Amino acid sequence: MSNGLSQRSARISAPGTSSMRSKANALRDAGIKVINFAAGELSSDAAPDMRQGAIAAVHEQWNRYTPPLGNPRLRQALASSVSQRLGVDYDADEIAVSSGAKQALFNSAMVLLDPGDEVIIPRPYWETFPTQVELTGARPVFVNTKGDNHSLRGAAVKAAVSPRSKAIIINTPNNPTGVVYDPRELVAIGELALKHKLWVIFDECYRSLLRDGQQHHNLVALLPELKASTIIIDSFSKSQAVTGWRLGYACAPKAVITAMHNLQAHTTSNPSSLAQYAALNALHGDGARQFGAEVNAQLDRQLAIATALLGKLESIRFSPPQGAFYLYLDITRLLGKRYQGEAIRDASHLCELLLTEARIALVPGCSNGDPCAVRLSYSVSPQDLEEGLSRFTDFIATLA
Ligand SMILES: Cc1ncc(COP(=O)(O)O)c(C=O)c1O
C-alpha cells in the first residue's frame, strides 16, 4: 500500500456507530443539543450488583493480573450459570472470559478461520461480524433476511452452504433488527450445521433484553449435540449496562478455549480484574434478573411511545421489535425525495441530514449492509424520545 500500512489495515473501515457518535459529540461540544438514537447501550446506570462489586473490588485490592482467561472462580460461576440455563453441562475450562464479547468474537474468528474459508452471516448484520471474518482472510457469505421479515430461515442458510463453508454466525436477539429467531428455524439451521460440519458462533449478547411476551432460545439448549461445534458468546455490557467495563465470555469446547487462551495471553491478557470481580458479585444473587425486569419494563414503555409516533409516518415502515432496544426502520420510500432540492441518496445521506439539520443521531443501515434502513435505539430518556421523534417527524415532513 502506498501509505506504508499493511494490506490488512485497508480491510478495516471505521464503524458506522462510532463515526456517528463522534459527529454527534462534536456538535454537542459546540453547544448544540443532539438527541442520540445511535448508541448501542442502555441509557440507565449500571446494575446495582455490578456497581457494588466494582467498589468492593477496589477496597479488596483486586489490582493484579488474573489468569488470561479470567479468575477461576468467575469461570466456575459462569460455567454453573450457563449449565443451569441451558440444561447442558459446561465446565470451567470450557469458559473464556474476555474484554467484552467483541474480543470473544475476534478470538473465535482467529482460532477457527483460515484464508479462503467461508462464513455465513445473515444480512443486515452487526458490522463487526464481517470485518472480523475478513481480517482472518476468510470470506463472509451473506444470507439476506429482508424478504423473511428479518428472521433467519433454515432454507435461506441451506442455499448459502458451499464446500468452503466453515462457520455460521447467528445473533439473536438481533442487532440491528431487534428480531428474536424462531426456535424451529434455529433447530433447522443447527441440523444443517451438524450435517455440513459447520462451526456455529452463537451471539446471544442481548438475550436478557426481550419485549413483553417474547422468549429467547439458545441453540445448544435446543440441540445439545451442537455443543461440540458451537461457540456461545455472551456479554455483561448490554444486560448489566456496563458497556465501558469491557466484560464478555465465550463457552466452547476445551480445545477452542485453549487456543483462545494462547491468543489472548499474547494480546490483551486478562479482562479488567475489577469488572471480573463485579461480575462475580452479580452472578451470586437475584439482582441481575431484577435489573433485567426493570430495564425491560422501561424499554417496553419506551417502545410503545416510539411505535405510536413512528406508526403515523407513511413513509417509514417497520416491524415491532422483539428484543434488544433497536427499531429498524425501512426508509425506502424516502429515497429520492428532496431536502432543499437535494435528492436523498441512501441511509447514510439521510442520517447526515438528520444530524446536521434535525440534530438527531441514528445509525445508517449502510453499515449493516442495507442502504435502505436506519437503526434507532429507543433506550433514551422519555423526554429525549419524544423530542427526538418529533424532530424526526418534522424533518420528514419537509421532504418533497
Ligand atoms: C451483536 C453484538 N455482539 C457483540 C457486541 C459486543 O459487545 P461487548 O460490549 O461485550 O464487546 C455487540 C455490541 O454492540 C453487539 O451488538
Side-chain angles (χ1 to χ4, degrees):
M1 266 182 71
S2 57
N3 63 4
L5 303 183
S6 67
Q7 290 178 14
R8 189 184 314 107
S9 70
R11 294 202 288 268
I12 318 175
S13 47
T17 39
S18 62
S19 49
M20 240 331 137
R21 200 181 304 137
S22 9
K23 285 179 194 162
N25 287 344
L27 285 173
R28 253 186 221 155
D29 292 346
I32 295 163
K33 177 164 184 200
V34 174
I35 294 179
N36 188 5
F37 292 127
E41 55 197 348
L42 291 174
S43 57
S44 61
D45 194 0
D49 284 355
M50 293 294 289
R51 281 188 273 147
Q52 284 150 14
I55 292 164
V58 172
H59 290 305
E60 291 177 26
Q61 303 186 6
W62 267 53
N63 303 322
R64 309 275 174 237
Y65 290 126
T66 72
L69 292 189
N71 180 288
R73 275 168 56 207
L74 177 60
R75 292 176 75 194
Q76 183 55 60
L78 285 167
S80 306
S81 100
V82 170
S83 304
Q84 203 183 5
R85 184 164 66 82
L86 307 192
V88 178
D89 283 343
Y90 277 85
D91 291 332
D93 58 11
E94 293 172 307
I95 307 289
V97 186
S98 54
S99 299
K102 209 174 237 185
Q103 184 180 33
L105 286 162
F106 186 60
N107 289 349
S108 306
M110 289 291 284
V111 305
L112 292 186
L113 303 175
D114 283 313
D117 287 342
E118 290 180 357
V119 180
I120 298 170
I121 301 178
R123 176 164 56 196
Y125 44 73
W126 178 49
E127 58 187 325
T128 291
F129 292 143
T131 305
Q132 291 188 344
V133 166
E134 280 167 358
L135 280 172
T136 68
R139 195 170 76 82
V141 172
F142 299 111
V143 172
N144 291 322
T145 60
K146 202 167 184 162
D148 291 319
N149 238 347
H150 297 127
S151 290
L152 184 61
R153 303 258 183 251
V157 173
K158 191 172 177 187
V161 175
S162 89
R164 309 211 73 144
S165 303
K166 181 77 183 279
I168 175 166
I169 301 179
I170 300 175
N171 167 224
T172 179
N174 187 265
N175 174 14
T177 63
V179 169
V180 172
Y181 290 158
D182 180 279
R184 282 159 309 194
E185 298 295 340
L186 284 174
V187 168
I189 296 161
E191 282 167 350
L192 270 175
L194 286 170
K195 181 171 167 204
H196 295 279
K197 299 194 170 22
L198 303 184
W199 283 95
V200 179
I201 298 171
F202 190 80
D203 179 335
E204 56 177 3
C205 288
Y206 295 91
R207 69 180 165 81
S208 62
L209 299 171
L210 295 166
R211 295 308 101 249
D212 198 21
Q214 299 294 331
Q215 207 187 334
H216 164 71
H217 298 274
N218 175 290
L219 188 52
V220 175
L222 291 169
L223 213 55
E225 308 95 283
L226 269 177
K227 184 188 167 195
S229 51
T230 299
I231 304 181
I232 296 172
I233 305 285
D234 195 15
S235 173
F236 287 80
S237 285
K238 317 284 175 177
S239 60
Q240 303 297 295
V242 288
T243 42
W245 296 17
R246 312 308 303 131
L247 201 71
Y249 60 98
C251 316
K254 195 165 175 251
V256 171
I257 298 293
T258 304
M260 284 184 174
H261 168 271
N262 299 344
L263 177 64
Q264 193 161 302
H266 287 299
T267 50
T268 57
S269 294
N270 61 273
S272 156
S273 58
L274 304 182
Q276 287 189 55
Y277 191 90
L280 197 50
N281 194 49
L283 282 168
H284 279 323
D286 189 39
R289 199 198 51 76
Q290 274 175 27
F291 180 72
E294 282 161 28
V295 164
N296 279 321
Q298 171 72 12
L299 289 174
D300 283 343
R301 288 194 290 274
Q302 298 283 94
L303 179 61
I305 298 173
T307 49
L309 291 170
L310 291 167
K312 293 185 188 145
L313 301 177
E314 279 184 4
S315 48
I316 299 287
R317 283 175 299 165
F318 60 92
S319 303
Q322 300 153 325
F325 39 77
Y326 305 120
L327 266 160
Y328 195 64
L329 309 178
D330 184 329
I331 54 138
T332 310
R333 290 180 188 175
L334 293 180
L335 301 181
K337 288 203 174 199
R338 293 181 179 272
Y339 178 72
Q340 296 183 348
E342 192 186 2
I344 295 177
R345 295 184 297 277
D346 60 12
S348 294
H349 187 201
L350 177 69
C351 287
E352 288 285 345
L353 290 172
L354 284 168
L355 186 61
T356 52
E357 308 302 306
R359 313 293 196 218
I360 54 176
L362 286 96
V363 176
C366 304
S367 35
N368 309 113
D370 179 0
C372 303
V374 296
R375 191 193 78 179
L376 181 152
S377 164
Y378 50 89
S379 179
V380 295
S381 74
Q383 301 87 302
D384 277 4
L385 187 65
E386 298 208 19
E387 186 181 337
L389 290 179
S390 99
R391 290 185 193 184
F392 185 63
T393 310
D394 292 349
F395 176 81
I396 286 179
T398 65
L399 301 178

